[in-house]
């Protein structure tokens, strides 16, 4: 290597180190704002985190389970605008407010409003769907099992059900909402109507990286809470201690895991959620290394 090449290599290395240091500083800065939105995804540990949010609200902010946000499918532009207005009009003037509900990402800036702080939580997609299957068949009260196929097949394990192929009641859900996590992060744009498209995945990645203060992982719940204390202290100060004596809630226990041959088929149906989860895991690990001093 010539002297010029050696100097150039050192300059590039120094630039990379500088960029990394700046990113680390920005990544670990506390965020403050009057509105926090947690558009929680079902079966990711959201009930536990919502409960922690409610308990934390005793220390200076208000937590609201906002029904105007509650919708699995995409909002129309008018519905999105009304949901945003409802969030902003329920904000108390004397303290911050945290809204939590099952909802897709809402584009505040598109409708002329300042964007809030955003938070969410993800889970391994196969584990999330397996948990949802057993929640609906075992935990959900029978009076709420409105689907005839669900009522007929609720005694089946997940493998017994999928041995029936398309006759399994959960198959239709996988075909329509299998990539629900992608759709939630994508939002209400026309590209987001179907979470299985490439356009939906790219929008979801963009929003996840640029619009969210943190997207935690169910499988790394403790690290997620530690990061929340660092990044959102107005809402989560002391949350690690608060969570120490509180187990995950409403989790279906003792269920049979999905067989490998069914898992292979699922991977095709929920491919976008798997890609998004891997992308999130990489970002999360970068944040852990940058912000938690005892990380490896």
């Amino acid at each position: 290597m010539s002297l010029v090449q050696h100097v150039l290599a050192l300059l590039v290395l120094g630039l990379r180190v500088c960029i990394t240091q700046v990113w680390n500083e920005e990544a670990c800065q506390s965020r403050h704002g009057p509105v926090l939105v947690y558009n929680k995804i079902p079966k990711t540990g959201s009930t536990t985190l919502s409960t922690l949010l409610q308990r934390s609200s005793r220390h200076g902010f208000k937590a609201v389970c906002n029904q105007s946000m509650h919708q699995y499918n995409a909002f129309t532009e008018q519905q999105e605008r009304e949901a945003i207005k409802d969030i902003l009009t329920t904000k108390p003037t004397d303290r911050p407010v945290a809204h939590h509900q099952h909802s897709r990402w809402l584009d505040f800036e598109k409708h002329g409003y300042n964007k809030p702080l955003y938070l969410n939580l993800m889970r391994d997609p196969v584990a999330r769907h397996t948990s949802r299957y057993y929640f609906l068949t075992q935990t959900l009260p029978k009076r709420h099992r409105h689907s005839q196929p669900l009522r007929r097949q609720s005694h089946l394990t997940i493998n017994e059900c999928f041995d029936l192929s398309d006759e399994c009641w959960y198959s239709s859900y996988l075909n329509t909402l299998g990539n629900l996590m992608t759709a939630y992060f994508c939002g209400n744009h026309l590209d987001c109507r179907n979470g299985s498209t490439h356009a939906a995945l790219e929008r979801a990645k963009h929003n996840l990286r640029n619009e969210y203060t943190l997207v935690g992982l169910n499988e790394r719940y403790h690290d997620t809470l530690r990061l929340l204390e660092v990044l959102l202290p107005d809402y989560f100060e002391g949350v690690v201690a608060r969570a120490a004596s509180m187990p995950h809630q409403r989790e279906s226990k003792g269920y049979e895991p999905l067989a490998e041959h069914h898992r292979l088929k699922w991977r095709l149906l929920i491919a976008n959620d798997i890609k998004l989860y891997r992308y999130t895991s990489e970002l999360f690990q970068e944040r852990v290394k940058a912000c938690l001093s005892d990380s490896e």
Side-chain angles (χ1 to χ4, degrees):
M1 179 183 292
S2 68
L3 179 60
V4 173
Q5 289 174 321
H6 184 69
V7 171
L8 287 174
L10 289 176
L11 288 173
V12 170
L13 178 61
L15 181 61
R16 287 176 178 172
V17 171
C18 182
I19 291 173
T20 300
Q21 288 175 341
V22 171
W23 187 90
N24 286 351
E25 290 175 3
E26 292 179 351
C28 303
Q29 287 179 349
S30 297
R31 273 66 165 184
H32 304 276
V35 179
L36 172 69
V37 175
Y38 172 27
N39 63 315
K40 58 187 184 180
I41 301 169
K43 305 311 297 175
T44 58
S46 61
T47 299
T48 302
L49 190 56
S50 292
T51 301
L52 285 169
L53 193 60
Q54 291 282 2
R55 293 185 179 185
S56 298
S57 68
R58 302 166 187 167
H59 304 276
F61 67 94
K62 181 178 181 180
V64 178
C65 184
N66 196 310
Q67 292 302 317
S68 67
M69 293 169 55
H70 191 189
Q71 184 162 321
Y72 290 161
N73 297 319
F75 282 128
T76 64
E77 187 169 328
Q78 179 63 27
Q79 287 173 327
E80 183 178 52
R81 184 182 300 111
E82 290 174 357
I84 291 171
K85 284 183 178 178
D86 186 69
I87 288 172
L88 296 176
T89 55
T90 57
K91 186 185 83 64
T93 57
D94 59 333
R95 52 185 169 147
V97 60
H99 294 264
H100 58 101
Q101 187 52 271
H102 298 305
S103 170
R104 296 181 181 222
W105 177 76
L106 301 172
D107 191 347
F108 280 66
E109 290 184 314
K110 174 183 176 181
H111 298 283
Y113 300 103
N114 294 329
K115 61 184 179 182
L117 300 167
Y118 256 108
L119 159 71
N120 218 320
L121 191 64
M122 289 190 76
R123 184 179 187 177
D124 173 84
V126 173
R128 190 187 81 81
H129 279 292
T130 302
S131 178
R132 186 177 187 277
Y133 176 90
Y134 284 108
F135 169 73
L136 293 175
T137 57
Q138 294 182 4
T139 309
L140 188 70
K142 291 183 178 180
R143 65 181 180 276
H144 293 154
R145 299 175 191 172
H146 301 304
S147 163
Q148 285 287 348
L150 168 56
R151 286 200 291 268
R152 289 197 307 268
Q153 298 176 356
S154 61
H155 64 287
L156 299 177
T157 68
I158 195 167
N159 291 308
E160 290 171 339
C161 192
F162 276 91
D163 284 342
L164 301 174
S165 191
D166 291 341
E167 295 300 315
C168 175
W169 68 271
Y170 201 77
S171 292
S172 61
Y173 181 86
L174 278 184
N175 287 320
T176 56
L177 291 172
N179 292 293
L180 185 68
M181 292 195 293
T182 301
Y184 263 48
F185 284 104
C186 185
N188 298 289
H189 189 274
L190 289 176
D191 289 344
C192 309
R193 294 297 192 261
N194 182 352
S196 301
T197 66
H198 177 73
L201 177 61
E202 291 307 306
R203 280 188 176 274
K205 285 181 177 180
H206 176 272
N207 289 342
L208 191 150
R209 176 141 201 161
N210 296 291
E211 303 295 341
Y212 283 79
T213 300
L214 179 68
V215 179
L217 299 178
N218 174 281
E219 292 80 6
R220 299 186 63 177
Y221 218 89
H222 183 66
D223 283 340
T224 296
L225 297 181
R226 293 173 68 202
L227 284 172
L228 286 173
E229 283 193 334
V230 172
L231 299 172
L232 293 168
D234 295 342
Y235 298 93
F236 288 100
E237 183 179 5
V239 72
V240 172
R242 244 174 259 118
S245 61
M246 193 182 81
H248 284 16
Q249 298 182 356
R250 295 201 322 184
E251 184 63 39
S252 304
K253 300 296 183 181
Y255 53 68
E256 179 182 275
L258 188 68
E260 185 60 29
H261 62 285
H262 292 313
R263 187 182 294 264
L264 292 173
K265 181 179 180 181
W266 277 31
R267 285 173 183 160
L268 297 175
L269 297 173
I270 59 175
N272 272 5
D273 270 13
I274 291 173
K275 293 174 184 175
L276 189 64
Y277 178 78
R278 289 172 179 167
Y279 179 75
T280 305
S281 298
E282 292 173 1
L283 294 180
F284 185 84
Q285 182 57 28
E286 288 179 10
R287 189 68 71 86
V288 168
K289 287 182 177 180
C291 305
L292 301 182
S293 59
D294 58 348
S295 63
E296 296 182 357

